[in-house]
């Protein structure tokens, strides 16, 4: 009896050790799946990160290949890996009164996505229905193509309609300068060409919920990556009809839609009260941001918010008139708003400080 008890006690540390080894292996393989797309030499990266031999890292790579999660490419010495497509699904829907975004989600897309964590499904539910609804109500197209691709690490979904094009539609409806100006307004949020039927929050929050969000339409390409308040515009030499939306999210993201809504909202009703304005989008080519007209274009509709963060990332310098229009003239006429510059270079911050000093000198009691 004593011998049996001793055997059980000896087995417990061994079982615990095996459990730790198994957990460590799962952690290494998860790291590989999350980073393989960005790092060609993923074996070296994993070995360095976990302080294991390259041979040990290669064993985990081989296991992921056997499981069908990775695809090897090239000869052994120069072998690279890419995520294997575990699932690909596509369908073309005719745009018409019978097509409802909630039915497309519940009947088709949600079952395709499968057993993802609830927080991830909630994010996809919001993003898919919002983007489908935009296409149905605003594109003016005849059909929309939906494609879902799923790997062991993430899911990518594309919606592509044959309509007028989202940037062109906004430009025309709001009488803006061009498609680039339309993207600037889109990035601020609360933009809609149909204020009676839409709040203008869909694209703003969709771009913040996902790991990456891209829109290709007309002659422009708009992109936003999670963790960056900065949006980018890339102009394309060849214009295309319609709108293509590309969305990507990690299958095991810890993010929740509630976290993102709270980040830009206030009150019990989640009022959309805060926005981040990427100042760089107001620049055209090599133009410098120096004039009041440029500042006024940047300021359009920001009075819809209580808190506005002007993100100066990528902006080297600004002119005195540009800074004065935002941080003295506009700020003085909107005292209830919180207007804050972020990611400003020393030169930009110096110009902002100068205009704020001039405003302070105008206040009663100033010397």
């Amino acid at each position: 009896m004593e011998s049996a008890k001793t055997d059980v006690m000896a087995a417990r540390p061994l079982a615990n050790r095996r459990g730790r080894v198994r957990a460590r292996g799962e952690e290494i393989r998860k790291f590989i799946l999350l980073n393989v797309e960005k790092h060609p030499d993923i074996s070296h990266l994993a070995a360095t990160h976990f302080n294991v031999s390259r041979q040990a890292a290669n064993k985990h790579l081989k296991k992921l290949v056997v499981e069908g999660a990775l695809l090897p490419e090239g000869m052994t010495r120069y072998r690279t890996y890419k995520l294997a497509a575990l699932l690909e699904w596509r369908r073309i829907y005719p745009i018409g009164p019978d097509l409802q975004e909630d039915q497309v989600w519940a009947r088709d897309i949600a079952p395709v996505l499968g057993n993802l964590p609830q927080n991830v499904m909630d994010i996809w539910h919001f993003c898919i229905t919002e983007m489908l609804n935009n296409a149905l109500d605003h594109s003016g197209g005849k059909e929309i193509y939906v494609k879902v691709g799923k790997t062991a690490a993430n899911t990518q979904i594309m919606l592509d309609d044959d309509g007028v094009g989202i940037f062109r539609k906004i430009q025309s409806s709001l009488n803006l300068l061009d498609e680039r100006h339309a993207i600037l307004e889109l990035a601020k949020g609360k933009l809609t060409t149909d204020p009676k039927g839409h709040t203008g929050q869909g694209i703003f929050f969709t771009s913040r919920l996902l790991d990456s969000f891209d829109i290709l339409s007309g002659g422009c390409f708009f992109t936003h990556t999670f963790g960056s308040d900065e949006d980018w515009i890339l102009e394309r030499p060849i214009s295309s009809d319609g709108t293509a939306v590309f969305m990507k999210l990690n299958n095991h993201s810890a993010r929740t839609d509630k976290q993102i809504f709270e980040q830009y909202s206030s009150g019990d009703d989640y009022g959309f009260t805060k926005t981040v304005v990427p100042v760089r989008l107001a620049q055209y080519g090599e133009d410098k941001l120096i004039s009041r007209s440029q500042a006024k274009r940047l300021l359009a509709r920001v009075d819809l918010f209580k808190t506005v963060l002007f993100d100066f990332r990528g902006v080297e310098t600004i002119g005195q008139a540009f800074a004065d229009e935002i941080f003295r003239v506009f700020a003085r006429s909107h005292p209830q708003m919180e207007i804050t510059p972020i990611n400003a270079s020393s030169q930009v911050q110096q110009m902002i400080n100068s205009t704020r000093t001039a405003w302070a000198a105008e206040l009663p009691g100033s010397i």
Side-chain angles (χ1 to χ4, degrees):
M1 188 70 179
E2 184 66 28
S3 176
K5 183 178 179 180
T6 303
D7 289 343
V8 170
M9 293 178 65
R12 284 176 182 169
L14 181 60
N16 291 338
R17 181 174 179 275
R18 286 173 176 170
R20 290 194 298 271
V21 170
R22 188 180 301 110
R24 172 84 164 170
E26 291 174 355
E27 185 181 357
I28 293 174
R29 290 189 289 277
K30 182 178 180 180
F31 176 86
I32 289 172
L33 292 173
L34 291 175
N35 291 278
V36 67
E37 292 181 315
K38 300 177 183 178
H39 299 276
D41 194 355
I42 187 63
S43 175
H44 174 72
L45 181 69
T48 302
H49 184 82
F50 290 97
N51 194 26
V52 297
S53 68
R54 188 150 185 158
Q55 182 181 15
N58 284 332
K59 286 183 179 179
H60 292 289
L61 283 166
K62 290 177 181 178
K63 181 175 176 62
L64 289 169
V65 170
V66 171
E67 292 175 350
L70 291 181
L71 290 176
E73 293 184 337
M75 303 298 292
T76 303
R77 185 177 178 184
Y78 303 102
R79 180 161 293 175
T80 58
Y81 298 84
K82 69 177 184 179
L83 292 170
L86 303 182
L87 174 150
E88 285 193 359
W89 177 92
R90 63 197 73 194
R91 180 165 296 177
I92 296 176
Y93 295 93
I95 294 177
D98 294 333
L99 185 62
Q100 303 294 324
E101 68 272 11
D102 59 328
Q103 294 180 11
V104 173
W105 165 259
R107 184 185 63 229
D108 297 335
I109 299 180
V112 167
L113 294 182
N115 191 29
L116 293 176
Q118 188 59 50
N119 65 304
V120 174
M121 290 295 285
D122 289 342
I123 290 175
W124 276 125
H125 186 188
F126 177 88
C127 296
I128 292 298
T129 53
E130 284 288 338
M131 295 304 99
L132 274 172
N133 182 260
N134 276 348
L136 300 183
D137 289 356
H138 302 305
S139 72
K142 296 180 179 179
E143 60 185 27
I144 182 166
Y145 171 70
V146 180
K147 179 181 178 182
V148 179
K150 186 177 178 183
T151 69
N154 54 61
T155 298
Q156 299 184 64
I157 299 180
M158 180 185 74
L159 280 67
D160 188 7
D161 68 61
D162 60 353
V164 66
I166 183 172
F167 305 142
R168 197 171 299 159
K169 176 73 176 289
I170 294 171
Q171 177 195 354
S172 175
S173 299
L174 302 185
N175 194 28
L176 302 177
L177 292 173
D178 54 23
E179 293 181 16
R180 285 178 55 99
H181 191 181
I183 296 179
L184 172 59
E185 293 305 309
L186 196 64
K188 297 174 186 176
K190 288 191 179 182
L191 175 68
T192 177
T193 58
D194 178 20
K196 291 183 178 180
H198 292 265
T199 63
Q201 300 182 20
I203 289 179
F204 182 92
F205 280 108
T206 296
S207 67
R208 267 70 183 172
L209 282 164
L210 298 165
D211 289 342
S212 64
F213 175 80
D214 308 304
I215 303 178
L216 181 64
S217 182
C220 289
F221 178 72
F222 168 82
T223 182
H224 182 88
T225 302
F226 181 80
S228 171
D229 286 325
E230 186 174 14
D231 299 300
W232 293 90
I233 299 176
L234 301 176
E235 293 187 271
R236 304 190 307 137
I238 301 177
S239 179
S240 63
D241 294 329
T243 301
V245 177
F246 304 89
M247 299 175 283
K248 183 178 180 181
L249 182 64
N250 185 279
N251 292 336
H252 302 282
S253 174
R255 196 175 314 139
T256 67
D257 52 4
K258 184 175 183 289
Q259 290 172 339
I260 303 302
F261 293 147
E262 288 180 343
Q263 186 178 347
Y264 295 96
S265 307
S266 63
D268 295 336
D269 59 349
Y270 285 108
F272 186 12
T273 59
K274 177 182 176 181
T275 190
V276 179
V277 179
V279 179
R280 182 180 178 276
L281 299 191
Q283 288 184 292
Y284 287 74
E286 299 299 321
D287 289 350
K288 302 295 183 182
L289 296 174
I290 59 174
S291 70
R292 293 188 184 274
S293 60
Q294 290 172 312
K296 289 176 181 178
R297 187 158 61 240
L298 193 71
L299 289 166
R301 299 187 314 103
V302 300
D303 57 354
L304 297 174
F305 302 89
K306 293 180 180 179
T307 302
V308 181
L309 305 181
F310 286 100
D311 188 352
F312 282 89
R313 193 192 315 268
V315 177
E316 296 180 4
T317 61
I318 57 174
Q320 188 275 335
F322 180 88
D324 185 69
E325 187 66 31
I326 297 173
F327 297 101
R328 186 183 67 85
V329 177
F330 182 83
R332 183 174 59 180
S333 61
H334 296 81
Q336 77 285 0
M337 292 179 61
E338 180 183 347
I339 301 171
T340 306
I342 60 173
N343 299 318
S345 68
S346 57
Q347 289 179 311
V348 169
Q349 190 63 55
Q350 185 177 2
M351 187 62 71
I352 294 172
N353 293 342
S354 176
T355 61
R356 285 178 163 174
T357 299
W359 179 20
E362 298 174 3
L363 297 176
S366 300
I367 300 176

